[in-house]
């Protein structure tokens, strides 16, 4: 197999490239060269997806059996559409990494791969769906942009030659967002640790290596393919996740569980101050049956936790990213909430 990976320098893209090379495949990567490092063994092409001449030049390096797009999270649908059109005769299939945020019902409703997605034209610019600064309601900007990008891929390649995968939360070695690393460092620090909500509440993160493996398998798929990528509903819990963090770090601390209602009164930012904590009923109710039927495998979350800690202990650091600083509660704020909890 010959594949083109748009991205490939860090986290999911790097996991895709590494797995493909381990399979003996020929891999070309396309990055701006500003973050991450090339994976030895891959052919690295440097360029900017927002520059039409760069993408046209990239197409001359083909043909490929498939293109895998891991780097469109901050690109407007119009840019994705232009790039896909430039590659339509250079690749057999397009595998696009989207997100569960494209769904109209996320994070409030249970979701399947057939749930309706948000509006978002394939030729939308970066301003489409952007809300005023004083807006206080739900913000679907990111979801609308990604939904538009999905439609851009289908418009350029046609549904028969397109795979769309919609992961929820991806964790594992190399994570740049800071969710799992923050919990690991907090467990290592010990003391009384604020644990959010119900320890038995199900959560559905997946391992970056399992997502990469499924994406590569999808390069051989035929016909339209749309899949959610989450752990099975009910298998993993917040309590199990935090206990795994405690075990991996040999923490001497203790988990203090505080109910959702009390945390909401404490003015905590959901999803970031205590990573993975969110009270919306649909956030961890995402059905990935179609992916499992197509061969997706999701390893136990405790394994992901242990491997990420080992990766950090080896002196590795994720690629710097602005989202890292959004995660984690201030120690003084955590202390006050714990005091109030008793």
């Amino acid at each position: 197999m010959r594949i083109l990976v748009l991205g490939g320098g860090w986290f999911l893209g790097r996991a895709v490239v590494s797995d493909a090379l381990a399979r003996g495949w020929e891999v070309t990567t396309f990055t701006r060269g500003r973050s991450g490092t090339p994976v030895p063994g891959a052919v690295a092409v440097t360029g900017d997806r927002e520059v039409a001449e760069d993408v046209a030049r990239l197409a001359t390096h083909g043909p490929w059996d498939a293109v895998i797009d891991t780097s469109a999270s901050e690109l407007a649908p119009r840019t994705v559409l232009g790039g896909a059109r430039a590659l339509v005769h250079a690749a057999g299939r397009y595998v696009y990494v989207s997100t569960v945020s494209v769904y109209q019902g996320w994070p409030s409703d249970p979701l399947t791969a057939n749930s309706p997605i948000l509006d978002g034209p394939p030729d939308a610019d970066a301003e489409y769906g952007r809300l005023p600064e004083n807006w206080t309601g739900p913000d679907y900007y990111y979801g609308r942009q990604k939904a538009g990008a999905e439609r851009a891929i289908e418009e350029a390649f046609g549904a028969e030659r397109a795979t769309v995968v919609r992961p929820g939360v991806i964790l594992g070695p190399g994570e740049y967002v800071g969710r799992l690393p923050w919990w690991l460092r907090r467990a290592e620090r010990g003391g009384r640790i604020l644990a959010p909500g119900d320890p038995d509440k199900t959560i559905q993160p997946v391992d970056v290596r399992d997502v990469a493996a499924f994406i590569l398998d999808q390069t051989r798929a035929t016909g339209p393919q749309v899949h959610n990528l989450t752990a099975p509903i009910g298998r993993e819990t917040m309590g199990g996740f935090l206990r795994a963090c405690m075990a991996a770090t040999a923490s001497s601390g203790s988990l203090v569980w505080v109910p959702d209602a009390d945390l909401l009164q404490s003015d905590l930012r959901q999803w970031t101050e205590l990573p993975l904590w969110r009270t919306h009923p649909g956030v961890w109710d995402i059905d990935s049956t179609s992916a499992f039927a197509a061969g997706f495998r999701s390893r136990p979350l405790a394994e992901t936790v242990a491997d990420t800690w080992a990766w950090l202990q080896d002196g590795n650091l994720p690629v710097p990213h602005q989202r890292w600083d959004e995660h984690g509660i201030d120690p003084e704020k955590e202390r006050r909430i714990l005091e109030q909890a008793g």
Side-chain angles (χ1 to χ4, degrees):
M1 290 285 286
R2 300 187 75 241
I3 64 169
L4 166 65
V5 179
L6 302 179
W10 45 294
F11 200 40
L12 178 57
R14 192 175 187 85
V16 168
V17 173
S18 298
D19 191 334
L21 291 172
R23 298 181 187 206
W25 295 7
E26 296 181 37
V27 182
T28 301
T29 62
F30 184 65
T31 70
R32 293 178 299 177
R34 299 177 186 175
S35 58
T37 55
V39 180
V43 176
V45 179
T46 303
D48 192 327
R49 293 180 63 178
E50 297 187 90
V51 178
E53 292 79 5
D54 287 359
V55 182
R57 173 173 51 84
L58 170 65
T60 66
H61 289 264
W64 300 279
D65 297 295
V67 54
I68 298 172
D69 190 348
T70 69
S71 66
S73 62
E74 298 177 1
L75 294 178
R78 178 180 299 176
T79 301
V80 176
L81 178 62
R85 285 174 172 169
L87 296 171
V88 69
H89 298 299
R93 190 167 192 84
Y94 202 114
V95 183
Y96 177 67
V97 181
S98 186
T99 169
V100 296
S101 295
V102 299
Y103 289 113
Q104 294 177 15
W106 195 86
S108 299
D109 303 327
L111 298 171
T112 73
N114 295 318
S115 297
I117 67 173
L118 294 162
D119 62 293
D123 60 349
D125 63 18
E127 294 306 307
Y128 184 85
R130 198 182 295 279
L131 297 169
E133 290 185 5
N134 60 351
W135 180 261
T136 58
D139 186 352
Y140 297 112
Y141 170 75
Y142 177 65
R144 286 185 170 122
Q145 289 279 309
K146 294 289 276 188
E150 288 189 12
R151 294 184 175 103
I153 300 307
E154 184 171 337
E155 179 172 312
F157 270 71
E160 292 292 319
R161 296 169 58 198
T163 291
V164 173
V165 295
R166 297 170 179 156
V169 172
I170 305 176
L171 304 177
E175 185 210 330
Y176 63 91
V177 177
R179 296 181 175 113
L180 175 51
W182 185 84
W183 275 117
L184 286 166
R185 293 300 184 190
R186 179 63 192 90
E188 179 190 31
R189 198 164 73 242
R192 299 178 76 223
I193 301 170
L194 177 57
D198 181 355
D200 294 326
K201 183 174 183 177
T202 187
I203 60 175
Q204 295 180 273
V206 288
D207 190 290
V208 63
R209 295 162 294 184
D210 297 332
V211 175
F214 182 74
I215 287 171
L216 291 174
D217 292 343
Q218 279 293 301
T219 61
R220 300 184 185 274
T222 58
Q225 301 286 330
V226 178
H227 303 288
N228 296 329
L229 294 184
T230 61
I233 297 172
R235 191 189 72 183
E236 308 289 351
T237 65
M238 194 68 179
F241 168 67
L242 293 188
R243 289 191 294 271
C245 290
M246 302 288 280
T249 60
S251 177
S252 61
S254 60
L255 298 172
V256 181
W257 293 93
V258 177
D260 289 337
D262 294 343
L263 294 177
L264 291 173
Q265 291 181 354
S266 299
D267 195 31
L268 274 176
R269 292 192 312 275
Q270 296 193 47
W271 209 231
T272 53
E273 282 194 281
L274 294 176
L276 305 185
W277 172 67
R278 197 163 186 172
T279 60
H280 300 75
V283 69
W284 300 120
D285 198 349
I286 302 165
D287 180 78
S288 295
T289 299
S290 69
F292 286 108
F296 179 53
R297 298 291 180 268
S298 175
R299 74 191 68 197
L301 186 53
E303 182 179 333
T304 303
V305 170
D307 289 351
T308 302
W309 180 245
W311 184 82
L312 291 168
Q313 291 300 101
D314 283 342
N316 296 296
L317 293 173
V319 170
H321 196 276
Q322 65 269 22
R323 294 182 67 185
W324 187 276
D325 293 334
E326 298 174 0
H327 291 86
I329 186 173
D330 179 78
E332 179 58 26
K333 185 173 184 178
E334 180 185 26
R335 184 191 62 78
R336 290 198 305 269
I337 295 173
L338 288 170
E339 284 184 351
Q340 293 170 1

